[in-house]
Amino acid sequence: MTELRFRTGGGTSPKDKPKVYFTCHPADYDRFFDKICEDIFKTCDCAIFYTEDMTARLDGETLELDLCSMNLFVIPVTCRLLTEPNRAMDEDCAFAEKNHIPVLPLMAENSIDEFYVRRFGERQYISVYDHDPTKRSYPEQLAGCLRSVLTSKETVARIRKAFDARIFLSYRKTDRRSANELMRMIHAHPGLEKLAIWYDEFLTPGESFRENIRSTISSCCLMLLLVTPRLLEKPNFIMDEEYPAAKSCGKPVLPVLMEPTDPDGLRECYKDIPEPVSVLDETEFDARIIRPLLQYASDEPFGDPERDCLIGLAYLDGIDVEIDKERGVRLITAAAEAELPEAMERLRDMYAEGISVELSYADAVKWAQRLLDHYYYTLGETDEKTLAALDDLALAYAAVGDYKTMMELALRCYQLRIDVLGKKHPDTLKTLNKVAFAFGALGDHQRSLELHHECYRLLCEALGEKHPDTLPSLHHMVLAYRQLGEYQKALTPAIMCFQLSSEVLGVKHPHTLNCLNTLASIYGLIGDYQMELVLTDKAYRLSCEILGENHPDTLTSLLDLALAYSHIGNRRKSLELNLKCYQPLYEILGEKHPKTMSMLNNLAMAYGAVGDYREQVDLLTECYDLRCEVLGEYHPNTLCSLRNLLEAYVSAGDVSSAREICEYVRLHAQITDRRLLSSVYCFYKTTDKDRNKAQEIKRRLDAPDLPAD
């Protein structure tokens, strides 16, 4: 049977540490395991469990129970993971979903959201290489997520102090399901919600462990002994160590019968053991288990916000209690309503990322605003915590698409951070980047460019032009130039961006590849098609090597390469590459996927470019029929196919078929596509010499309410 291994920061023991399970596509293990472990350990002192062979089946009850104890599953998301059969997606993630264990997808490649949604639905992910200024950076997002899901040793210590008392639960490892069931039965009683149940996941025999167990039992009020036939198997640690330790410490032992077990064998193996209480006997269970436990519970009701929050965290993470997400969220929400900043911050992050709750950007905005208000009135406008809360509120509004409010908040935060931290402080410049993005999102591209310029200049002064945080800012500036249509001005910084990224991050880094694609596109836009071809070819070969031939980014590079060949007049090569691109999309996405239909349209136009109008007409007819079926006959993309088909008929000399399309358009007044109407007008004017029909279409083109292109 495959065994789980573990890694901790500094090679320390996994005892009392949060438990993270790493899984991935087998081909991605060497690419990501070490890096993700390093990233996690920078933020969290936890134990990361994994199997070295990611193809091995995880069978066996013990292994399954090990996975049940994990606080979080982490999985790097790649095209291979989402499109090929593999254990990580087909078994591990399915297991986490079934057992309500949080899964953190780390998006490790770009342009695979289509595939992602198919497998993960609306689950939020953290992008490893994304530099979207409307989101916190990858390290910030990872840290926030880990704080929301995992709990530090310091917080664990605070949580344990918040409980009324502790009882020691002794059970065989293979009976963990029964142990969870027993804990749920106990905590279902309102008076016992605050009672901790101590149990150890790492039963590694050894002298130090024996002493630790003895010390722990001494600190507990009593021992609950979970009775199943496995308790009689020899040797076992409970029989040899835990039960004798409880007896020698004088601790009461309450045996709970979870399955029929030989009573004589039990008395023989566990001297002086009391008569077990069956969980099936509700009256006896209440009298002999619940009532004795109630004497250790305080009469103090919930209402202390910090205590509510800590015990809520215990139920979210399963710290000395069973995992109960609903109860945990309820207690943390009560603490947040009582203005506890720690609780408000956790709810903000939980709703923003969909951790332990349904994803809700509206609730994330609500708690981000509540937290900002709290800090504003208690600490003042310029306190570091207030400014961080203001920045986070701007991000929360960006997530709901309210860029106007985002810009107002980010501008306010930027001015305050200049006053408090100075213009060149990294936090000030991160906020400036958000402001620049917001102006662009609102259509003011000139102002956006000016601010991106300023941000890049200050980052160079503060960090240096080769710092990893400076490179994305330079790329944002290039994109702002391109958005404004100032392609010649974009060229020099685009060259610099690619060269610096190659030097600092490496030629095969996703950011470098992105910069290369941007540079190639700018050469095409300024008309240097030969250089466009050279760079696009390089980008395609690198993408094949790094991502695989069928990755969406690779196929996009292939389309760019086809376009580059078309630009230099090599239409046969362009057609060949369009054909090569269409087949993988057809096989992966299916013929009715919008991207497949768009590719079919491009392929048809490539055939027309080489003069094969018969094939062009056949493919455009197929594309038009598919778009009518999937999108509807008046959808803009459907009408685009119809216009292309009309022009293909004209090019092929099939006037009769072209006229049928024109008559269809003329008789359907709801068709308002300007370019299609223009093509019909040209046909009537130049072919039919029918002035009445041409004038009829001209009047529709001149109508004031006709939508713009």
Side-chain angles (χ1 to χ4, degrees), residues 370-555:
R370 289 278 297 269
L371 183 65
L372 173 63
D373 293 342
H374 174 83
Y375 283 140
Y376 181 85
Y377 290 112
T378 58
L379 301 176
E381 186 178 36
T382 58
D383 186 86
E384 181 182 342
K385 289 183 177 179
T386 308
L387 294 176
L390 179 58
D391 196 71
D392 283 329
L393 182 59
L395 292 179
Y397 273 105
V400 298
D402 186 347
Y403 298 116
K404 184 175 185 296
T405 304
M406 176 205 177
M407 183 181 68
E408 293 169 354
L409 294 169
L411 270 172
R412 177 179 156 201
C413 186
Y414 176 59
Q415 293 299 331
L416 288 169
R417 278 185 159 161
I418 289 176
D419 295 340
V420 176
L421 303 173
K423 271 195 169 186
K424 296 181 183 179
H425 191 281
D427 288 346
T428 307
L429 295 176
K430 286 179 183 177
T431 306
L432 176 57
N433 195 34
K434 295 181 182 69
V435 175
F437 172 86
F439 272 107
L442 292 170
D444 191 342
H445 300 297
Q446 184 61 47
R447 183 61 176 149
S448 177
L449 173 62
E450 292 168 0
L451 293 175
H452 278 305
H453 239 300
E454 176 73 359
C455 188
Y456 174 66
R457 182 183 67 80
L458 292 170
L459 278 168
C460 286
E461 291 179 13
L463 303 175
E465 66 176 16
K466 295 184 180 181
H467 193 280
D469 288 344
T470 307
L471 297 177
S473 181
L474 177 58
H475 192 236
H476 289 152
M477 189 173 71
V478 173
L479 296 178
Y481 273 121
R482 191 173 69 177
Q483 185 70 38
L484 275 170
E486 296 186 7
Y487 308 128
Q488 199 66 51
K489 290 183 179 179
L491 182 59
T492 299
I495 294 171
M496 184 178 175
C497 190
F498 172 63
Q499 291 174 340
L500 288 172
S501 187
S502 299
E503 179 184 346
V504 175
L505 303 176
V507 178
K508 295 182 180 180
H509 192 279
H511 180 71
T512 307
L513 194 57
N514 198 20
C515 293
L516 178 59
N517 281 313
T518 300
L519 178 58
S521 73
I522 290 172
Y523 272 113
L525 290 168
I526 64 175
D528 190 340
Y529 299 131
Q530 194 61 49
M531 184 58 76
E532 177 195 23
L533 178 62
V534 170
L535 295 180
T536 306
D537 182 66
K538 180 177 181 178
Y540 173 64
R541 293 178 188 278
L542 281 171
S543 191
C544 285
E545 181 182 350
I546 300 167
L547 304 174
E549 290 190 8
N550 292 336
H551 189 281
D553 276 357
T554 307
L555 296 177

Side-chain angles (χ1 to χ4, degrees), residues 194-212:
K194 298 170 285 183
L195 192 66
I197 301 178
W198 193 94
Y199 56 99
D200 201 299
E201 297 288 349
F202 304 100
L203 301 178
T204 307
E207 188 60 38
S208 62
F209 183 77
R210 290 188 179 95
E211 290 304 315
N212 181 264

Side-chain angles (χ1 to χ4, degrees), residues 638-659:
T638 308
L639 297 177
C640 175
S641 291
L642 189 61
R643 174 173 58 85
N644 291 339
L645 185 56
L646 167 61
E647 293 173 357
Y649 277 131
V650 171
S651 297
D654 189 345
V655 176
S656 175
S657 296
R659 183 177 289 108

